[in-house]
Amino acid sequence: MKRNRLWLGVGLLSLGALSTSCSKEAPAPQAAPAPTAAPPAAPAPTAVAPEPPPRMAYAKLVSFFRPSASQAAVAKKDTAERIALGRMLFFEPRLSKNHDISCNTCHELASFGVDGKATSPGHKGQLGNRNSPTVFHAAGHIAQFWDGRAATLEEQAAGPMLNPAEMAMPSEKHVLATLNSIPQYVKAFKTAFPGDKKPVSVTNVARSLAAFERELLTTARFDKYLAGDEQALSEQERRGLNLFAGSGCTTCHNGPSVGGTSFQKLGLIEDYPTEDKGRFDVTNDEEDMHKFRVPTLRNVEKTGPWFHDGSVKDLATAVRLMGKHQLGMTLSDSEVDDIVAFLKSLTGELPGPELLTPPQLPPSTASTPKPDPT
């Protein structure tokens, strides 16, 4: 079997459906969406059984997925009132111009935080040029959006409301007029932000959404494995994890979210055909050309289609492509099967109805701006 085991440590970069929360990753208002390149052909599997990498010790394997000191330091405590308000706002379609799009439209919580589409339709059916990543585990990311243009959940949460291709609210003034026209929201903001002179603000909308999104976590069998139960994974899943780590994939897909901690070039070893410049559009630094924030692999089995453009519809194909373009490896059928088995062990249990069920939203009043389809 032909392969080039470089072990450069950048594996499976773009499997996630990723970023973050509350955005379908639309292009900037004045920029036309970049054309979506067809995914490259996956390398043909080989029939010869490869020699497996040496077994890593359990302690070494679990060390890849521990939180870093910086991740532990930025953990935030949110009040129940802010979380409850954020939940309402997450499901609130009146934060869109035509009252037909909420955060949950593109990030369906009951479907592991994705809508299952390559790119998501926004106002008047406009499509973005990037896949809507899962909102689950977004709080553990180094930055938000595929290109990392928002440093925090709070910074990201305010963007989609005012993006003409997404929720298309015409101005912050319009957002505030909508919220202030609904007495229950005015009361909820005062309760959540008791020290603010003007608690109803776009800043506090973002803070509330971020507080809610930090609650969006899942627990999988893999967590039992990390906690010391080595039998929580099957023999095949353990082989897949060993291959995943031994091939260098954990250099990028690490930490509690199994990703989200760095930016990496798509096509590190072998060029990947895409017109999307990635992080370069944010920094104008040639070093960032075709770099994307590494997505979480938590629940990756459920968050397809995969890659930044949603062009890959089969998880095994995604694994083959990442082996080829990120590691310079041609994976065998058995290797792909083992890695996919491991990835499926990352599928967790969704939170309960206290988070996932759409809450009863307060009614509009005579002064609430009407839906506007224009």
Side-chain angles (χ1 to χ4, degrees), residues 134-372:
T134 177
V135 72
F136 282 96
H137 297 275
H141 295 345
I142 189 174
Q144 306 300 318
F145 296 108
W146 283 97
D147 56 17
R149 63 184 182 272
T152 64
L153 284 176
E154 287 83 355
E155 184 179 336
Q156 185 279 327
M161 290 184 295
L162 301 173
N163 190 311
E166 296 192 46
M167 300 171 82
M169 287 294 256
S171 66
E172 289 191 6
K173 183 178 179 181
H174 195 86
V175 174
L176 299 181
T178 300
L179 294 171
N180 279 312
S181 73
I182 302 172
Q184 291 94 325
Y185 271 131
V186 174
K187 181 179 179 181
F189 273 90
K190 287 180 179 178
T191 302
F193 301 96
D196 289 16
K197 292 182 179 179
K198 293 183 178 181
V200 182
S201 67
V202 171
T203 296
N204 285 344
V205 170
R207 292 169 72 187
S208 299
L209 285 169
F212 174 67
E213 289 167 5
R214 277 189 280 271
E215 301 295 305
L216 299 177
L217 304 170
T218 60
T219 302
R221 284 186 296 112
F222 183 58
D223 294 292
K224 294 181 180 180
Y225 178 86
L226 294 179
D229 181 3
E230 295 187 50
Q231 300 308 308
L233 300 186
S234 70
E235 173 60 29
Q236 184 184 28
E237 290 165 345
R238 293 196 296 272
R239 287 200 310 268
L241 170 58
N242 194 71
L243 178 60
F244 184 85
S247 299
C249 302
T250 48
T251 300
C252 298
H253 288 289
N254 53 51
S257 297
V258 197
T261 60
S262 65
F263 298 95
Q264 298 293 341
K265 181 182 178 181
L266 179 59
L268 181 71
I269 303 302
E270 182 175 329
D271 285 346
Y272 185 94
T274 179
E275 298 296 324
D276 194 325
K277 297 179 181 179
R279 188 155 173 76
F280 173 83
D281 287 335
V282 178
T283 66
N284 290 316
D285 186 342
E286 287 293 335
E287 289 294 318
D288 289 329
M289 183 65 72
H290 303 310
K291 281 188 177 181
F292 297 90
R293 190 210 62 229
V294 177
T296 175
L297 295 186
R298 290 278 185 170
N299 308 305
V300 67
E301 172 193 12
K302 303 292 187 179
T303 55
W306 297 277
F307 291 23
H308 65 286
D309 54 5
S311 61
V312 179
K313 297 178 174 59
D314 176 71
L315 186 56
T317 298
V319 170
R320 290 187 192 282
L321 288 172
M322 288 297 95
K324 173 184 177 182
H325 292 279
Q326 301 307 114
L327 295 171
M329 295 171 58
T330 301
L331 296 167
S332 70
D333 283 345
S334 61
E335 287 179 317
V336 171
D337 288 346
D338 288 351
I339 291 175
V340 169
F342 161 64
L343 294 177
K344 289 182 177 181
S345 78
L346 301 175
T347 300
E349 295 182 10
L350 291 170
E354 69 281 358
L355 290 179
L356 264 60
T357 302
Q360 184 173 354
L361 300 176
S364 298
T365 65
S367 60
T368 302
K370 299 296 187 287
D372 183 357

Side-chain angles (χ1 to χ4, degrees), residues 44-59:
T46 57
V48 180
E51 200 168 309
R55 279 278 186 173
M56 285 192 185
Y58 170 79

